Amino acid sequence: MNDSQTSRGLRKSSRIFVAGHRGLVGSAVLRLLEAEGYNNLILRGREDVDLCDRSAVGRLFEETRPECVFLCAAKVGGILANESYPGEFIQQNLEIQTNVIHESWRAGVERLLFLGSSCIYPRDCPQPIKEEYLLTGPLEATNRAYAVAKIAGIEMCWAYNRQYGVRYLAVMPTNLYGPGDNFDLKTSHVLPALLRKFHEAKVAGSETVTVWGSGSPRREFLHSDDLAAAALFLVSLPKEHYNPLCASQTEPPLLNVGFGQDLSIRELAETLREVVGFKGSIEWDATKPDGTPRKLLDSSRLRSLGWQPRIELRRGLADFYAYFLERR
């Protein structure tokens, strides 16, 4: 791709704002953009711009005039964090996405990619989960506040597309892991939490590790670098392929991004135990919640456009553990 390819979604010199560039998703997007030679990146940390402040976000967009926005910023966490701070989860996510989407429109942003989560779908969805299953049943109670905020973001993208003629796309990834992940046992998701638990148990010489739930729920995991590749792939599509994804009057501008295979939490725990090298046993605390029984995304719409994931789970987990060790 070069600057003369005006039919493409991005040029190397395009002004690109990565909102949340220090987080799990945003840092992966940033790494890929830099590796691919994009040289006009707009990056602001929390100390520079509070994305919950409409005026501050407005000033940022007036000053920088981005052409493309990756909306990766969000308040995220696992079951415990979602159950403990539902007010913060819905308030902060609604404010961040509302401000960034609205100010993108005001500034004339051509393409915006809103990153959500597979928890937007009903708790007891048919499997694998298709995009059209959105709003067809009750949500999982443990993360309903977060899910409702993300559903509102999808609806906002769709509403602005219909009313203002912009082309904003919502991308719903499956469970993610990778560099930049959160290892805090009180707020992290299941995979980094388990990895840390097994590592600390190995170092301490413990005989057992206790894991929440029954181990029976099934989850799909995607490396954050694969999600970044999907995100850049989408915003780089030629107009004739990108615009139809956002132009429907009857379906939201929504695409799933998944690996295509899932495994049980029990299988995940056993795999992580092997990767870390913990020799003890696993005990399951069935008094703790399992969450949604299964979440496997149907990513056939995205795959039909030509994207495929590259990072197999076992290799990804080994690299993830190496990253964790570097940070100790």
Side-chain angles (χ1 to χ4, degrees), residues 10 25 28-29 32-33 70 111 113 115 169-174 176 222-237 242 245 255-259 299 301-303 305-311:
L10 287 181
V25 175
V29 170
L32 181 58
L33 288 170
F70 291 90
R111 295 188 181 188
L113 211 66
L115 278 299
L169 183 61
V171 171
M172 297 301 119
T174 191
L176 299 170
L222 183 74
H223 196 285
S224 57
D225 286 346
D226 270 339
L227 174 60
L232 183 56
F233 171 83
L234 285 167
V235 298
S236 300
L237 285 171
Y242 179 86
L245 300 174
L255 278 177
N256 291 336
V257 186
F259 185 75
S299 303
R301 288 186 182 180
L302 176 56
R303 288 173 181 254
L305 296 170
W307 176 85
Q308 296 282 343
R310 300 178 298 104
I311 303 174

Side-chain angles (χ1 to χ4, degrees), residues 131-270:
E131 289 88 350
E132 55 262 35
Y133 296 161
L134 181 67
L135 297 177
T136 58
L139 298 167
E140 162 61 34
T142 56
N143 56 21
R144 184 168 54 232
Y146 176 74
V148 168
K150 289 299 180 180
I151 292 169
I154 298 168
E155 188 66 31
M156 189 170 182
C157 289
W158 193 17
Y160 275 49
N161 289 349
R162 299 199 312 273
Q163 181 169 350
Y164 302 124
V166 293
R167 293 293 178 259
Y168 297 165
L169 183 61
V171 171
M172 297 301 119
T174 191
N175 299 281
L176 299 170
Y177 69 99
D181 215 332
N182 171 25
F183 294 96
D184 186 325
L185 296 180
K186 294 181 179 179
T187 59
S188 62
H189 289 99
V190 60
L191 195 155
L194 286 177
L195 185 143
R196 177 177 172 178
K197 280 189 172 184
F198 284 124
H199 172 78
E200 292 182 348
K202 181 180 78 168
V203 171
S206 301
E207 295 183 355
T208 63
V209 165
T210 300
V211 181
W212 275 29
S214 66
S216 61
R218 300 187 65 83
R219 294 291 183 269
E220 174 188 27
F221 294 94
L222 183 74
H223 196 285
S224 57
D225 286 346
D226 270 339
L227 174 60
L232 183 56
F233 171 83
L234 285 167
V235 298
S236 300
L237 285 171
K239 291 181 179 178
E240 60 268 25
H241 296 306
Y242 179 86
N243 286 356
L245 300 174
C246 311
S248 174
Q249 296 294 311
T250 58
E251 295 184 358
L254 175 62
L255 278 177
N256 291 336
V257 186
F259 185 75
Q261 298 175 359
D262 63 359
L263 74 167
S264 71
I265 296 300
R266 185 178 297 273
E267 291 169 326
L268 173 68
E270 291 169 352

